[in-house]
Amino acid sequence: MKGMAWSTTSKGSPIMSSNRKSISWIAVSVGVLAVFLIYASWGLVSYPLGSAVHSHFYGVDSTAKIGVSEPSKNEDSNDAQPSSDLDSPTVSSDQSSDSRIEQTDTNSNSQEGSSEPTSEQSSVNKEVNEIEARDRAGSDSQESSTSFDGSKDAVNSGLPSKFNSQVDLVSTATLPVAGNDTSGASDEEPVSSSDSTSKAVPEPIENRDSASSAGTANPECDLYHGNWIHDPSGPLYRNDTCPCDLPRFDPRKFLELMRGKTLAFIGDSVARNQMESLLCILWQVEVPKNRGNRNMQRYYFRSASVMIARMWSSWLVKHYPEPFGYAEAGVDKLHLDAPDDKLMEFLPMFDVVVLSSGHWFAKKSVYILNNEIVGGQLWSPPKAHQQEMKINSIQAYGISVETILTSILAHPNYTGLTIVRSYSPDHYEGGAWNTGGSCTGKEKPLGPGELVENEFTNVMHEQQVNGFKRTIEKATNPSRLKLMDITEVFQYRHDGHPGPYRSTDPNKITKRGPDGRPPPQDCLHWCMPGPVDTWNELVLEIIRREYEGSSAS
């Protein structure tokens, strides 16, 4: 019987021996597998295999959501576009397709007493008027199109529903602050807001500073004066990575600062230009939902409950085409002492407002103060009333600025931050927008000492700043009003406009004709990507100082 005792037999049962061997091999296998998993996990943490494979096939690093590729060797981040933007029709897809070229004669000699365009320019005027009409109608029309995520929504936008997710970051300019000595900087050793000299490709967008390093480090730094310098890290997007027909910016930082808030761009087509720039930047980290309606364009970023809006307001003051006194119907009547009714109605919806105005004061209009006609632009009253014309377009602009800012600060239900973006310079040379003015052939920013002052731009800027100052002097709560003074430094960016590439027509004319006349072109709005992106970097810095400063105190 002892031989039958499983527990005491010296050799044990053959069946028991087999089970023990199986258990031993299982234990060894589990141990080996555990060691393998540990080392494999360590390897994946050190170098994400999935990211490498995704990057290999698609050129996109999934760990950063945005891919980066090596910029071209000759790329200059100070240019308003990638190296070929102003030299090839590719730029037409970003700015031109929705470009609203205003009827703006920015030549100082043509502001007073200028006549209607000649017959030679009739085709140019017709094209401009059609573009302008679409822009004015854009805020008042309601149409159905596909929203950013593919669902249907009521919108008034030309943005397509899909875009190429293979994001390839190439370049915008970094604006140094006053006091930075860049004279020693060369093309080989550019000054940059981030340390990128040892990297073959730019950093992912999440790792970049929200503004230039100097601007972020020193809250007292002057954001609006300095020189344009080369930034090798590339722009935040490219004209073929933003699906718009339409200091280094950190979109995630922006969305976090604006969490639960609404930012609105209010004004003319330059306001639209800046809004589209911001959308393109934010688009790189999140595709927004289109929430537009007949009153305004609106884009919602769900991750932070942030709304970006745009409202059309040509002059920011009350206006209408109906007759007034001896001023006939069909000419816009501007009440320089009354704000735009629609603007004031929707103002309480916004937490941050960026205002844009000025260029429409070159259009035909009648100026009214205290319910009396006091002047006009490209309009003459009957001879019996000519002595009553006391206000010209430049003075009217200054009055309108004070009116809208005073009204905004006095609004009982608006406590938001108001940013006044100063007058945007144009760069028509050799004429105005409708008389052969041109900005072609500009390939880089002007350097120190190269700027030829534009007197009309300077006087419009002066009127705007004076209107701002008058508002501040009499305001009880001036801290919620900020001037974003971009005019001087952006006069150096004659290279930053679409020029003849504004049209989406594949057969568009981009060269001068046999008689030397330049083709129709846009030297007012800005290329995307380009200098306009820097405006939004400044907006981010203003918001950061406002909100983080308040919370810190």
Side-chain angles (χ1 to χ4, degrees):
M1 295 295 295
K2 290 183 179 179
M4 299 298 292
W6 301 104
S7 60
T8 60
T9 305
S10 60
K11 293 183 178 180
S13 167
I15 299 175
M16 178 62 72
S17 175
S18 176
N19 289 342
R20 287 177 178 175
K21 290 181 179 179
S22 299
I23 293 173
S24 299
W25 277 108
I26 292 172
V28 171
S29 299
V30 170
V32 171
L33 179 61
V35 172
F36 172 77
L37 290 175
I38 291 173
Y39 278 95
S41 299
W42 175 82
L44 288 174
V45 170
S46 301
Y47 188 82
L49 181 61
S51 173
V53 172
H54 190 67
S55 177
H56 176 76
F57 284 105
Y58 300 105
V60 179
D61 186 349
S62 62
T63 61
K65 289 190 178 181
I66 305 175
V68 290
S69 65
E70 187 172 2
S72 60
K73 295 180 179 179
N74 297 327
E75 185 176 0
D76 187 346
S77 66
N78 283 347
D79 291 344
Q81 61 288 319
S83 57
S84 63
D85 273 0
L86 286 182
D87 298 321
S88 70
T90 57
V91 74
S92 65
S93 64
D94 55 56
Q95 172 63 37
S96 308
S97 60
D98 193 33
S99 179
R100 278 60 167 154
I101 314 302
E102 293 142 0
Q103 294 188 26
T104 306
D105 185 349
T106 53
N107 189 316
S108 58
N109 295 329
S110 64
Q111 290 302 310
E112 297 302 320
S114 59
S115 60
E116 296 296 330
T118 65
S119 58
E120 296 178 350
Q121 294 296 324
S122 59
S123 60
V124 178
N125 296 351
K126 180 179 179 181
E127 178 184 357
V128 170
N129 289 337
E130 290 174 353
I131 295 174
E132 175 193 299
R134 290 199 300 270
D135 189 48
R136 298 190 69 173
S139 297
D140 300 325
S141 64
Q142 183 177 20
E143 56 188 83
S144 178
S145 68
T146 307
S147 64
F148 296 163
D149 65 347
S151 61
K152 287 286 184 177
D153 207 346
V155 298
N156 50 61
S157 168
L159 302 179
S161 60
K162 299 180 181 179
F163 69 105
N164 186 349
S165 62
Q166 301 180 30
V167 180
D168 182 8
L169 304 179
V170 250
S171 170
T172 52
T174 296
L175 178 61
V177 297
N180 283 5
D181 183 7
T182 60
S183 58
S186 66
D187 290 339
E188 291 74 25
E189 297 181 349
V191 179
S192 174
S193 61
S194 60
D195 182 12
S196 60
T197 56
S198 62
K199 301 178 181 179
V201 295
E203 295 180 272
I205 203 166
E206 291 87 347
N207 298 334
R208 299 182 177 189
D209 294 335
S210 61
S212 66
S213 57
T216 301
N218 180 9
E220 301 302 322
C221 126
D222 184 348
L223 300 174
Y224 311 118
H225 298 86
N227 299 319
W228 290 96
I229 58 174
H230 176 74
D231 180 1
S233 60
L236 300 164
Y237 61 94
R238 227 172 45 189
N239 62 338
D240 60 351
T241 65
C242 175
C244 294
D245 284 337
L246 6 123
R248 183 59 55 184
F249 191 100
D250 182 346
R252 297 192 184 280
K253 177 70 171 180
F254 176 88
L255 291 173
E256 185 58 36
L257 286 171
M258 289 295 296
R259 178 173 292 276
K261 297 180 173 63
T262 296
L263 182 149
F265 294 94
I266 304 178
D268 51 24
S269 60
V270 184
R272 171 195 50 77
N273 198 174
Q274 186 176 358
M275 180 214 53
E276 290 181 346
S277 162
L278 180 60
L279 285 180
C280 283
I281 296 172
L282 298 179
W283 200 298
Q284 308 305 305
V285 297
E286 181 180 349
V287 177
K289 293 279 291 183
N290 198 315
R291 290 287 183 255
N293 54 43
R294 65 175 67 251
N295 293 308
M296 70 186 79
Q297 291 175 290
R298 298 191 305 168
Y299 301 94
Y300 180 67
F301 292 83
R302 183 177 295 173
S303 66
S305 298
V306 172
M307 187 78 79
I308 305 298
R310 178 180 81 96
M311 178 178 290
W312 176 266
S313 181
S314 311
W315 293 277
L316 302 180
V317 294
K318 183 177 180 179
H319 62 91
Y320 50 82
E322 288 76 23
F324 181 91
Y326 51 82
E328 69 276 15
V331 180
D332 284 301
K333 319 299 183 304
L334 275 59
H335 286 261
L336 298 176
D337 51 2
D340 185 323
D341 293 334
K342 185 177 177 182
L343 187 163
M344 299 302 288
E345 176 186 353
F346 289 97
L347 188 63
M349 295 174 54
F350 310 134
D351 300 284
V352 178
V353 167
V354 181
L355 298 177
S356 171
S357 67
H359 293 282
W360 275 64
F361 281 87
K363 286 179 61 64
K364 186 176 183 179
S365 51
V366 176
Y367 305 139
I368 301 171
L369 275 176
N370 298 319
N371 283 322
E372 295 182 358
I373 297 176
V374 295
Q377 168 68 3
L378 301 177
W379 174 84
S380 298
K383 290 184 179 180
H385 297 280
Q386 288 184 355
Q387 70 278 7
E388 300 170 9
M389 301 298 100
K390 305 172 184 178
I391 302 295
N392 61 30
S393 63
I394 295 172
Q395 296 166 323
Y397 178 46
I399 296 171
S400 74
V401 171
E402 183 178 359
T403 293
I404 188 58
L405 296 184
T406 301
S407 301
I408 287 176
L409 290 182
H411 198 295
N413 299 319
Y414 175 72
T415 58
L417 173 66
T418 302
I419 301 173
V420 182
R421 198 258 302 129
S422 67
Y423 188 81
S424 177
D426 65 78
H427 293 90
Y428 290 99
E429 297 181 2
W433 67 272
N434 60 344
T435 58
S438 172
C439 56
T440 56
K442 311 301 181 184
E443 298 179 352
K444 63 180 181 179
L446 293 168
E450 296 179 346
L451 178 65
V452 177
E453 296 285 340
N454 184 316
E455 292 302 324
F456 178 70
T457 294
N458 289 345
V459 73
M460 289 293 281
H461 174 252
E462 180 183 9
Q463 285 291 321
Q464 183 185 34
V465 171
N466 288 341
F468 179 90
K469 289 180 178 178
R470 290 193 299 268
T471 304
I472 291 294
E473 290 171 357
K474 61 184 180 182
T476 58
N477 55 341
S479 64
R480 304 296 286 176
L481 190 60
K482 308 294 182 183
L483 177 65
M484 194 176 93
D485 196 350
I486 58 90
T487 306
E488 178 185 344
V489 72
F490 276 81
Q491 289 194 61
Y492 288 83
R493 294 310 306 268
H494 64 170
D495 60 316
H497 304 286
Y501 298 102
R502 72 182 187 189
S503 173
T504 57
D505 182 357
N507 299 317
K508 60 179 167 288
I509 300 174
T510 60
K511 304 296 183 182
R512 292 181 180 269
D515 59 353
R517 184 182 298 277
Q521 51 193 285
D522 180 0
C523 304
L524 170 63
H525 300 93
W526 302 90
C527 289
M528 292 167 45
V532 68
D533 300 321
T534 305
W535 294 0
N536 289 315
E537 296 182 49
L538 297 174
V539 167
L540 171 59
E541 180 63 13
I542 292 172
I543 292 174
R544 186 193 67 80
R545 293 182 181 185
E546 180 69 20
Y547 291 156
E548 289 188 344
S550 298
S551 60
S553 60

